[in-house]
Amino acid sequence: MNTVSGRTYSLTKLQQVATSLMAALVLLTFVGTNMQALLWQSSDWLVSTVLPAVVVDLTNDERADLAAAPLQRNTLLDQAAQQKAQHMAANEYFAHFAPDGTTPWSFFKTSGYVYAHAGENLAIHFTDSTEVVEAWMQSPAHRKNIVDTKYTEIGVGTAKGKFDGYDTVYVVQLFGTPAVPPAAEPAVPEIAPTPIAAVEFEPAADTSTTADLAALQAQIEAVSGAVAELADSNPVPVEEAVTTTEPVVLAVDAPEASVASNQLAAEELVPVVPPTTVSMSKANTVVISTELATSSGLAVATLIEPSRAHAGATIAAVATQPNVLLDIVYTGIVGVIILLLVASLLGEARRLHVVQVAYSIALLFAIGGLWYVHALLTSGAVIV
């Protein structure tokens, strides 16, 4: 309380209630910043089973808003995403291409997924599964992968680990369009060589061979002399001599090369990665805007009409979205505080209690600051 001109000024009842509720907000913010570790990060089941299902559902929600067909979850893509997440966690890196040169497409190959089109989104350092998808949607490159209609299937993998010295959860989101596997070239059977019996030849005794060779040599010399005499009697004028510069083309019959043998394997196609740009969103989300997608050139396989999976639509899924529930509670309390402070402000203004009016205004500013701090501390994700 304050004393001014002999009068004692203390917080009104409404202001006291508002102050108590603001203390509760501070507690909620503290809980929110630690909700991930308290509720679900410590549970392998929530991280490895529920979280991927929730990410799939939230991704399909974003596609539904744009009238795009939902993605069907594929077991092989899940395996590839899980392998990539574990690879990053084991080697403590966060990038599409590993420091050892491992490409994203190598995980498609090891899982046995043959694709016509493929893409990848990554995320770490988050406290809510909702903000992961929202962060991807705020990045044009990542959003393109999520809403691209050429993709028909999805896989999500997670792994716990450390990055830059902090405990975190790696999330890998893979997109794919299955392809018709290339036809295997028919195996050429090996034919064992047929043994050939050795045959010995004995030269026949022919005394005329030497005489024939001598006669042939004499004929060759006679023809050469005649050609030389003809050239001397008919010389070519210098001005009529023509020097040709046309290239000599030699035609060589060669078998046509096999088209299949000249095609690069899909995992050898390294896409040109555009320059990266880092931006900060209002939600303190670090976005590294790079698009990672490729196509193998194989024919797209016919896929059964995908059906949306609702594996994540359970009560347990709420544990992966603590900020959603926290924001609802927080918003409700903030609304009550604002109503109390506005009521106190109007009442004290009619009574001309300047100090009490100042209290109410200061508390309104304080609640605004608490809201900003809460949003800063309980949100954010790093994506690539």
Side-chain angles (χ1 to χ4, degrees):
M1 64 180 63
N2 293 329
T3 302
V4 179
S5 302
R7 298 183 60 182
T8 300
Y9 291 93
S10 61
L11 295 177
T12 63
K13 294 294 182 182
L14 294 178
Q15 292 172 344
Q16 291 176 4
V17 174
T19 303
S20 299
L21 291 176
M22 290 173 66
L25 291 181
V26 174
L27 179 61
L28 281 176
T29 299
F30 172 78
V31 172
T33 57
N34 297 276
M35 188 70 72
Q36 182 186 25
L38 293 176
L39 290 181
W40 64 273
Q41 190 177 6
S42 59
S43 171
D44 292 334
W45 173 66
L46 287 174
V47 171
S48 62
T49 304
V50 179
L51 177 60
V54 173
V55 171
V56 171
D57 282 346
L58 294 175
T59 299
N60 279 329
D61 287 342
E62 297 293 347
R63 290 175 66 90
D65 291 341
L66 298 175
L71 299 172
Q72 183 176 8
R73 195 169 179 185
N74 183 285
T75 303
L76 296 180
L77 276 181
D78 279 341
Q79 294 175 5
Q82 187 66 28
Q83 291 171 9
K84 174 60 180 287
Q86 292 174 345
H87 192 266
M88 288 193 297
N91 296 279
E92 294 190 25
Y93 74 95
F94 181 60
H96 293 296
F97 295 87
D100 61 3
T102 303
T103 69
W105 323 124
S106 63
F107 299 101
F108 285 79
K109 180 179 179 180
T110 56
S111 69
Y113 187 88
V114 181
Y115 64 85
H117 308 291
E120 178 183 80
N121 287 343
L122 306 177
I124 57 171
H125 293 338
F126 59 93
T127 58
D128 192 288
S129 55
T130 302
E131 67 189 16
V132 173
V133 179
E134 289 179 350
W136 282 330
M137 289 298 292
Q138 291 172 5
S139 166
H142 298 84
R143 181 180 184 275
K144 182 177 180 180
N145 276 341
I146 289 178
V147 304
D148 201 328
T149 56
K150 73 172 177 283
Y151 295 127
T152 57
E153 296 182 329
I154 186 174
V156 178
T158 60
K160 294 180 182 179
K162 287 184 176 293
F163 184 71
D164 288 341
Y166 294 95
D167 292 331
T168 190
V169 174
Y170 293 84
V171 178
V172 178
Q173 183 184 47
L174 297 183
F175 304 90
T177 304
V180 178
E185 295 185 0
V188 179
E190 295 183 359
I191 302 176
T194 303
I196 301 176
V199 179
E200 295 182 359
F201 295 93
E202 295 181 0
D206 189 354
T207 57
S208 64
T209 302
T210 303
D212 292 342
L213 290 175
L216 180 62
Q217 182 67 28
Q219 293 177 3
I220 293 175
E221 292 178 356
V223 172
S224 299
V227 171
E229 292 177 0
L230 181 62
D232 293 339
S233 62
N234 296 285
V236 179
V238 176
E239 62 272 10
E240 295 181 4
V242 178
T243 302
T244 178
T245 59
E246 295 183 0
V248 178
V249 180
L250 299 179
V252 180
D253 293 334
E256 294 183 359
S258 172
V259 176
S261 64
N262 291 333
Q263 291 180 344
L264 292 176
E267 61 273 10
E268 296 176 353
L269 297 175
V270 180
V272 178
V273 180
T276 60
T277 56
V278 180
S279 60
M280 293 289 291
S281 69
K282 295 181 179 178
N284 195 33
T285 300
V286 179
V287 178
I288 304 178
S289 298
T290 58
E291 178 188 353
L292 189 77
T294 189
S295 298
S296 66
L298 298 175
V300 176
T302 302
L303 185 66
I304 301 176
E305 185 66 22
S307 58
R308 177 169 177 177
H310 291 278
T314 63
I315 297 176
V318 178
T320 69
Q321 305 176 74
N323 287 352
V324 175
L325 180 60
L326 183 65
D327 285 344
I328 293 174
V329 176
Y330 202 94
T331 302
I333 295 177
V334 168
V336 172
I337 293 175
I338 292 177
L339 290 176
L340 292 174
L341 292 178
V342 169
S344 175
L345 176 63
L346 295 177
E348 298 304 320
R350 284 196 297 268
R351 300 186 186 92
L352 300 179
H353 293 169
V354 179
V355 176
Q356 300 296 347
V357 170
Y359 285 166
S360 296
I361 294 176
L363 290 174
L364 284 172
F365 275 103
I367 192 62
L370 288 177
W371 181 271
Y372 174 78
V373 172
H374 168 78
L376 191 65
L377 295 178
T378 61
S379 63
V382 178
I383 65 175
V384 65

